[in-house]
Amino acid sequence: MASNVKADGRATRWDDHRAQRKEEFVRAAVRAIDSLGPDVSVSDIATEAGVSKPVLYRYFADKAELHAAVGAWGTALVLDRVITAVLLPAPTRDRVTAGVAAYLDTIAEHPQAFLLLTRQHAGGDPLAAGKDQIAAKLARLLGDALRQLGGDAGAAEPWAHAVVGLGSSVGQWWLERRTMSRAAAAGYLGDFIWHALSGAAAEHGVQLTALDPMAGDATVRPLRKGTDG
C-alpha cells in the first residue's frame, strides 16, 4: 500500500513539474513571438526557452498544439482584464466601454502574439476554445442581467458570441492597420457594442441602463459601464 502512495506521489510531482515546464515554454513562446513576429518558428521558440526543438516537442505534439497553448494564455489574460473592467461599479454603458478598452489595451501589450492568434492557421484556430470560453462567460453575465430585468435570457448566448466575433475581427484589424489610435478604436467599438446590445434589449422591452447603480449604491450589477441610454 505504501508503495502505491509513493508511486502516486511521484506521479503527482511529475505532473506538477510537467505543467510548470509547459507554462515556462508558453511564456518563452510569447517572448519569441513578441520579438520576432507571428511567423516565428518552433526552433526560435526553443532557442528562447533554452532547450532543443525535440525537447519542446516532448511537451507539445506539434506547432498547432503549442499555438493552442499560447491561445489559452491569451484567453486567460483577456478574460481577467475584461471581466475585471466589466464588473466595476459604474453605469452600464461605461462598463461596456471599459471592457472594450481593457481588451484593446491587453492585445496592444503583446501585438505580435495576438496577431498570430487571430490569423488563420492550417492546424486550426488556436483561439477556438478561448473564444468559446469568453463567450460563455459573457453569456452568463448577460443572462444574469436580462433575468434581473425580466427580459429574455435566451438572447444572452447569441449576443455574447456576436460580441466575441466582433471584438476578434476589430482587434485583428487594429493590430494590422493602426489607422487610428487605440483610444479611438476602443471608443468606436464600445459605442457599436453598446448600441447593439441596448438596442436589441429595447426591442424586447428591456432597458440596460436600469442596471446602473443608484447614487451611493456600490452593489455590482451584472452588465455595465456607461452613462445613460
Side-chain angles (χ1 to χ4, degrees), residues 112-127:
Q112 301 302 324
F114 279 98
L115 266 180
L116 179 148
L117 295 174
T118 56
R119 289 177 175 173
Q120 295 295 318
H121 295 267
D125 182 358
L127 275 180

Side-chain angles (χ1 to χ4, degrees), residues 205-222:
V206 170
Q207 297 297 324
L208 293 184
T209 51
L211 296 168
D212 291 356
M214 302 297 289
D217 179 7
T219 301
V220 175
R221 292 168 176 75

Side-chain angles (χ1 to χ4, degrees), residues 32 49 61 66 74 82 84 87 120 130 208:
L66 177 56
V82 171
T84 297
L87 292 181
Q120 295 295 318
L208 293 184

Side-chain angles (χ1 to χ4, degrees), residues 15-69:
D15 289 343
D16 291 343
H17 171 75
R18 184 175 179 82
Q20 181 180 344
R21 288 293 280 165
K22 289 188 76 169
E23 288 180 10
E24 291 170 359
F25 292 150
V26 169
R27 289 195 293 269
V30 173
R31 291 195 303 270
I33 298 164
D34 280 346
S35 176
L36 301 174
D39 296 322
V40 65
S41 68
V42 175
S43 295
D44 291 327
I45 293 173
T47 298
E48 175 64 33
V51 298
S52 66
K53 188 173 173 181
V55 168
L56 202 59
Y57 278 132
R58 292 177 193 167
Y59 293 82
F60 304 96
D62 51 26
K63 190 174 185 178
E65 187 173 304
L66 177 56
H67 284 171

Side-chain angles (χ1 to χ4, degrees), residues 84-155:
T84 297
V86 167
L87 292 181
L88 289 172
T92 313
R93 185 171 183 176
D94 291 344
R95 288 182 175 189
V96 173
T97 301
V100 170
Y103 164 63
L104 287 181
D105 287 349
T106 301
I107 66 174
E109 290 179 17
H110 301 278
Q112 301 302 324
F114 279 98
L115 266 180
L116 179 148
L117 295 174
T118 56
R119 289 177 175 173
Q120 295 295 318
H121 295 267
D125 182 358
L127 275 180
K131 290 174 184 174
D132 286 343
Q133 185 180 351
I134 294 171
K137 181 65 175 180
L138 290 179
R140 285 194 292 273
L141 293 175
L142 281 169
D144 287 347
L146 291 169
R147 278 186 290 272
Q148 180 176 326
L149 297 173
D152 177 12

